[in-house]
Amino acid sequence: MTNGSRWSLALALFGCAEGAGGMPQMGSMPQEAVAPSSAAGAAAPATAATAVSFEAAVMPIIDETCNCHQTAPVLMAPFSLKAGEAYDNLVGAPSQQQPAMQLVVPGSLNQSYLWHKLQGTQLEVMGSGEQMPSTFPLDEAQLNVFGRWIADNAPR
């Protein structure tokens, strides 16, 4: 597969807009927008069978890395990401740092402020603050889970 067709596939899978030269805008997609390579070395496109659910894949990462949003009895962060509250506080919820954006817009990485906060690109969309989680950035595999979840329309 050529680099051009790989980018086109990646853009289609993640619903990203193309910038100049056919590249995705603002580094807005995970490092790899295709499923892991097969034994033959060819990249296989992601399928509906590989959809990422919030409860099974995203919430465990939140539980592991987003402690400030889960402290008790008083949160150290401005909104809760506790079990039972996290999904509703992310999907379709307005960002406090960039009110013109929602935290998660199902199907759109570029329009999801959470994605920018995880990538450290929040200032590029007129947001504020630091990259999240503030203690250490997510690794590539964790970012890919969030990216796939948002791109797959943020299923519960």
Side-chain angles (χ1 to χ4, degrees), residues 88-151:
D88 291 333
N89 287 340
L90 290 174
V91 179
S95 164
Q96 294 176 8
Q97 292 181 349
Q98 175 32 302
M101 296 182 79
Q102 294 178 1
L103 289 172
V104 173
V105 175
S108 178
L109 293 173
N110 281 333
Q111 294 177 4
S112 296
Y113 189 67
L114 174 66
W115 181 247
H116 291 284
K117 288 294 283 188
L118 296 175
Q119 293 281 319
T121 60
Q122 69 278 4
L123 300 178
E124 295 175 22
V125 294
M126 309 308 283
S128 62
E130 56 191 71
Q131 183 175 3
M132 290 290 132
S134 60
T135 52
F136 55 90
L138 298 180
D139 64 33
E140 184 176 337
Q142 293 168 320
L143 282 172
N144 283 336
V145 168
F146 274 93
R148 285 183 44 217
W149 171 67
I150 293 169

Side-chain angles (χ1 to χ4, degrees), residues 25-49:
Q25 292 179 341
M26 293 186 287
S28 62
M29 55 184 258
Q31 296 296 318
E32 280 298 316
V34 293
S37 298
S38 67
T47 64

